[in-house]
């Protein structure tokens, strides 16, 4: 990576000297010495940590915060103002901006609030998250998979399957009610203070928690919650929920947790109900969190979903599959593409479809059941044929098009004037013969099933 702008680079180098005065060599991020957390702020503004954070923020990009500054302008801004910013951080005077709130739709309905920090606050949060991660992450549970280096959703799903195959065929599926909005600041800060001695860092974390939200030009104070959208929030959520992990481990339970999505695997429904009730009491008493009883359940794993996956159970075999809810969400996303595509060329619609489905298929490549990909392929092709039938509009145009696609005149005439609607015609023999799978593939349509088969582990 290129060096930081002049000024920011030299000042960062000065901070590196501060750390070296206590160490033999300047540490790089990922190899930071954290035995003395009284000087954590000096480590946070260390040269290598700053460069690593800047690179990460620039790579992630994202929308601007309340000040309108984009991440592409951040490097230049730091070059001009880093001396002041560094001084504020080291003396505990740094104050973050309020976050810009954005509502995004949730998969199960409703909306989720995202808090978008300014580019500068994102950078400071990233610097902070990196040094805190080096302190806390090594002690996190092996059964915690969310927002951790070297951990992934695929590992969590694979572990869940292993638990079920071992005979734990009941799951306690815990849904925390508005977790990121309900995090208790005092409880979280208490957990951080057990491991961090540098009061400036603790003050900085709390200032981010209490920075407020900008709504219609008015700042609303936040007394609880950790806004989703900043680099620091995922780590703080793991710090808090590590208490839940340790409790589960002390009881000897096998579980998988990804952020606030936690499944505990047990041998019977009665055991599951006891676990659900005891965990509900623990979460409310110790962490001040509520279990959403309407969305939580003790059930068979194949009746629940975890990180978009579900399981099938047949003849003693446990297999991963795409959860029906995930297929439904994929269809909803594609429906919007098809709605916008009615006035576009077929190739342009297909390009948008491919863009939406490629990442989706790769995420669900662990599925051992191909049915979801086959059915989506059939449905997508029918939708594309429906778009064409609508675009041809009138009977004479449809007649000509069908002949051009290879139908005989008599069949083309009967089909073009059948009086049926676009959706019926999109699955009729004449459209499946005229606009066949080979033609759609020539136009660029990528088969979900073939992609899935090619990327399976």
């Amino acid at each position: 990576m290129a060096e930081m702008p002049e000024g920011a680079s030299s000042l960062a180098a000065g901070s590196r000297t501060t750390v070296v005065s206590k160490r033999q060599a300047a540490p790089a991020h990922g190899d930071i010495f954290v035995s003395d957390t009284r000087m954590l702020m000096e480590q946070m503004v260390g040269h290598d940590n700053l460069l690593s954070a800047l690179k990460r923020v620039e790579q992630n990009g994202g929308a601007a915060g309340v000040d309108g500054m984009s991440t592409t302008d951040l490097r230049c801004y730091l070059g001009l103002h880093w001396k002041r910013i560094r001084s504020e951080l080291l003396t505990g005077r740094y104050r973050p901006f309020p976050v810009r709130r954005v509502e995004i739709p949730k998969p199960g309905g409703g909306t989720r609030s995202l808090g978008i920090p300014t580019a500068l606050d994102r950078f400071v949060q990233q610097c902070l998250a990196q040094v805190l991660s080096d302190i806390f992450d090594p002690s996190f549970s092996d059964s915690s998979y969310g927002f951790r280096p070297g951990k992934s959703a695929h590992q969590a799903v694979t572990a869940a399957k292993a638990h079920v195959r071992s005979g734990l065929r009941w799951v306690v599926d815990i849904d925390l009610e508005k977790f990121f909005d309900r995090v208790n600041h005092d409880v979280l800060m208490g957990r951080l203070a057990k491991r961090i001695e540098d009061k400036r860092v603790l003050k900085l974390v709390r200032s981010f928690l209490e920075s407020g939200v900008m709504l219609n030009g008015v700042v609303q104070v936040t007394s609880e919650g950790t806004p989703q959208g900043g680099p620091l929030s995922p780590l703080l959520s793991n710090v808090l929920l590590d208490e839940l992990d340790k409790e589960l481990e002390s009881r000897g339970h096998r579980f998988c947790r990804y952020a606030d999505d936690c499944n505990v695997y047990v041998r019977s429904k009665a055991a599951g109900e006891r676990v659900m009730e005891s965990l509900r009491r623990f979460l409310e008493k110790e962490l001040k969190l509520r279990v959403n009883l309407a969305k939580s359940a003790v059930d068979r794993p194949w009746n629940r979903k975890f990180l978009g996956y579900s399981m099938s159970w047949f003849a003693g075999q446990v297999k991963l599959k795409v959860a029906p809810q995930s297929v439904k969400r994929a269809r909803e996303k594609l429906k919007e593409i098809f709605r916008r595509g009615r006035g576009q060329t077929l190739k342009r619609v297909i390009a948008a479809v491919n863009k939406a489905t490629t990442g989706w298929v790769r995420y669900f490549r662990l599925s051992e059941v191909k049915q979801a990909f086959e059915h989506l392929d059939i449905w997508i092709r029918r939708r594309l044929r429906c778009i064409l039938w609508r675009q041809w509009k009138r009977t004479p145009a449809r007649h000509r098009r069908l002949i051009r696609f290879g139908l005989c005149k008599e069949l083309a005439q009967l089909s073009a004037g059948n009086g049926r609607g676009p959706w019926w015609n999109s699955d009729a023999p004449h459209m499946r013969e005229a606009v066949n799978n080979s033609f759609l593939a020539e136009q660029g349509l990528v088969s979900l099933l073939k992609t899935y088969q090619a990327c399976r582990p």
Side-chain angles (χ1 to χ4, degrees), residues 88-159:
E88 291 176 354
L89 288 168
L90 291 173
T91 56
R93 293 182 292 110
Y94 184 86
R95 293 293 178 270
F97 284 90
V99 298
R100 181 167 67 87
R101 174 162 289 178
V102 176
E103 301 289 337
I104 61 170
K106 293 175 66 175
T111 60
R112 175 183 289 114
S113 297
L114 286 185
I116 302 177
T118 65
L120 176 60
D121 286 339
R122 226 172 296 173
F123 169 69
V124 175
Q125 283 193 33
Q126 184 63 41
C127 292
L128 184 55
Q130 288 173 179
V131 294
L132 292 182
S133 178
D134 286 323
I135 295 171
F136 287 96
D137 190 82
S139 64
F140 285 156
S141 169
D142 289 338
S143 298
S144 169
Y145 297 91
F147 310 116
R148 296 184 60 195
K151 296 281 191 174
S152 69
H154 282 174
Q155 291 176 347
V157 171
T158 302

Side-chain angles (χ1 to χ4, degrees), residues 200-214:
R200 297 167 299 176
V201 170
L202 294 174
K203 183 179 179 181
L204 181 60
V205 172
R206 187 175 278 277
S207 70
F208 277 118
L209 293 174
E210 298 177 347
S211 61
V213 177
M214 182 75 77

Side-chain angles (χ1 to χ4, degrees), residues 4 8 54 74-82 85 120 123:
M4 293 173 69
L54 180 58
L74 178 60
R75 185 176 290 258
C76 181
Y77 181 87
L78 289 173
L80 296 173
H81 300 281
W82 176 244
I85 297 166
L120 176 60
F123 169 69

